[in-house]
Amino acid sequence: MKLFSIDEERLTKAAEGGTPCFVYDLALARSRFIALRAALPPRVELAYAVKANPGLPLLRSFAELSAGFDCASAGELALVAEARVGAKASAERHGGRVPGRLVFAGPAKSLGDLKAALAAGARIQVDGLEDLERLDALLADRTEELPVNVRVHPQGGISEANRIIGGAGPSAFGVDEESLDGFINVAARYPRARLAGLQVFAASNERSAQALLSNHAAALRIGKRLQEALGYELDLIDLGGGLGIPYAEDEEELDLTALGSGLNELLADNPWFTGRLFLEPGRWLAGPCGTYLCRVVRLKESRGVAFALLEGGINHILRPLLTGQPFPVMALGKKEAAPKRRYALAGPLCTSLDRLGELELPELAPGELLAFGQAGAYGRTEAMVEFLSREPPRELWLSRGGL
């Protein structure tokens, strides 16, 4: 399976302005959003996970499609607000669109974070009693209750392909499921913040529709228990994100048709829930739209290992260090049938941690250009951009195939 296709001429032209750089295809991001939206039941709303890629042109593109947004900091809320201003002007020229909803999450929300979320009108996902206590104080001058979600960390029955979120083990996130009843009892002390919904987010980069659906079934099971304990109907269950993309040729794409039909079945099997479902895709929407370009600086042999030393490393793309899995890489200007050699890709930083994986590539030479695919999510803003005070990579946003 070929993981990503590229327009070599377009990327080579982009690289002429200087490398390293990220190149993003906004048309592809929009088309993926539309395809995902079409595959899901109408009751499922999409809130783009801003953490995946907070680029303003990308946020504006999704806002123009009435996306909601999942934010995890006051800074992300500010970026979404700016993107929505631009999207609103565009929408007014095309008949208008209803803006999507905001949700706000995080395991250690500061008072400033909560104030920003309230000002933005976001649905807050509370992770513990401290959130409720602070919210109750902030809402002292309000007469109406504020509906909030409680994030619950499942006790079991959760699958995660890549343990970035943590599966069902110990977690910094949310209220442990086994502690939920006690949490509900104490939460009654803070009536201004009313528990009205649930968030369960326990997977990262999961490409199996069945595994995701199993997780969603666990969320609905917890939701039913929460609703019975509260004695009133929940209006929102947030299923989190975790929709995955392949990074290796032997990995399959997520089956959207299976995911959509499975969610329809889950809703039919849970008639007790009449509210809205949220999904928070980030990587699935943004990952394939980005390509990271950097050049080979020098080559060396060390004790039987061929190294390609690059002008960019974990200061630009950190994922290989975190997961042990490289991005897919293509050498531009090389014939596909060219003889291959195994290279250890290393960056320019003064640390042996600066490794981007080992891959079979055509024979390389200094100055040649490499393209890292699936790099539109968890790239520049996740990386160690400030380390060693090196220049940050450029970002180019392409729309409808142009530069």
Side-chain angles (χ1 to χ4, degrees):
M1 168 185 169
K2 193 170 183 179
L3 284 174
F4 70 111
S5 60
I6 59 174
D7 182 334
E8 287 205 26
E9 183 178 353
R10 184 172 68 162
L11 288 178
T12 301
K13 184 178 179 183
E16 290 174 357
T19 54
C21 66
F22 286 89
V23 183
Y24 305 105
D25 185 336
L26 292 174
L28 177 57
R30 285 190 289 264
S31 70
R32 290 180 70 84
F33 182 94
I34 292 167
L36 180 57
R37 173 64 277 163
L40 300 176
R43 281 172 62 189
V44 179
E45 300 181 34
L46 297 180
Y48 171 65
V50 178
K51 65 179 75 68
N53 186 329
L56 196 56
L58 186 64
L59 300 184
R60 187 175 296 120
S61 292
F62 290 144
E64 289 172 353
L65 295 170
S66 297
F69 292 94
D70 161 43
C71 299
S73 72
E76 288 187 352
L77 287 169
L79 285 169
V80 168
E82 185 176 351
R84 282 180 158 183
V85 169
K88 181 180 179 183
S90 175
E92 287 173 348
R93 293 194 298 270
H94 298 90
R97 290 181 183 271
V98 178
R101 296 176 174 88
L102 298 179
V103 290
F104 187 80
K109 305 177 195 70
S110 69
L111 191 61
D113 287 332
L114 292 173
K115 288 179 178 178
L118 289 173
R123 183 66 170 261
I124 297 172
Q125 324 262 31
V126 299
D127 279 64
L129 292 170
E130 295 86 354
D131 286 346
L132 290 177
E133 183 179 9
R134 289 173 174 175
L135 282 171
D136 195 66
L138 290 172
L139 297 169
D141 294 333
R142 298 195 187 189
T143 55
E144 71 279 6
E145 296 174 328
L146 178 77
V148 299
N149 290 356
V150 56
R151 177 165 181 165
V152 175
H153 182 57
Q155 191 168 12
I158 289 294
S159 167
E160 185 184 11
N162 189 324
R163 299 185 68 79
I164 295 294
I165 294 295
S171 177
F173 299 103
V175 177
D176 288 341
E177 183 183 354
E178 60 269 32
S179 304
L180 183 57
D181 290 337
F183 174 83
I184 293 170
N185 290 336
V186 180
R189 300 175 187 171
Y190 308 105
R192 297 186 184 94
R194 180 175 185 262
L195 298 181
L198 168 71
Q199 185 198 33
V200 176
F201 189 164
S204 176
N205 198 39
E206 179 59 72
R207 294 171 293 101
S208 165
Q210 291 308 312
L212 286 169
L213 290 166
S214 176
N215 293 351
H216 300 338
L220 286 165
R221 171 185 57 78
I222 296 170
K224 186 175 184 181
R225 174 187 166 190
L226 176 62
Q227 179 165 297
E228 290 172 350
L230 292 172
Y232 52 81
E233 292 188 357
L234 302 179
D235 66 357
L236 172 64
I237 293 181
D238 186 335
L239 301 172
L243 281 69
I245 60 174
Y247 288 91
E249 291 185 358
D250 60 349
E251 295 179 346
E252 296 295 325
E253 293 275 2
L254 174 64
D255 186 338
L256 293 188
T257 301
L259 181 63
S261 61
L263 281 170
N264 264 319
E265 291 175 11
L266 282 177
L267 287 170
D269 292 342
N270 290 273
W272 60 270
F273 179 62
T274 59
R276 310 188 313 275
L277 283 180
F278 260 33
L279 273 180
E280 300 171 354
R283 184 195 315 269
W284 192 90
L285 292 172
C289 84
T291 304
Y292 173 68
L293 299 176
C294 75
R295 296 189 183 277
V296 177
V297 176
R298 58 185 286 255
L299 302 167
K300 70 166 287 188
E301 295 267 349
S302 177
R303 294 170 183 166
V305 175
F307 281 86
L309 301 170
L310 312 179
E311 60 183 350
I314 58 173
N315 54 328
H316 298 164
I317 47 175
L318 189 63
R319 185 180 188 276
L321 176 62
L322 295 177
T323 67
Q325 183 181 41
F327 285 89
V329 180
M330 294 176 66
L332 299 192
K334 300 284 188 177
K335 294 181 179 179
E336 196 165 332
K340 301 288 196 300
R341 184 177 186 184
R342 190 165 187 82
Y343 288 97
L345 303 182
L349 305 183
C350 293
T351 169
S352 58
L353 295 175
D354 194 10
R355 300 285 286 271
L356 301 181
E358 295 191 12
L359 294 146
E360 298 284 336
L361 292 167
E363 286 277 352
L364 298 175
E368 290 185 326
L369 188 62
L370 300 184
F372 291 68
Q374 307 288 67
Y378 302 107
R380 181 187 185 279
T381 57
E382 184 187 48
M384 303 163 61
V385 177
E386 298 294 328
F387 190 50
L388 296 187
S389 301
R390 300 185 72 90
E391 285 289 325
R394 295 188 308 131
E395 292 186 290
L396 287 79
W397 300 90
L398 312 185
S399 182
R400 307 189 191 283
L403 270 175

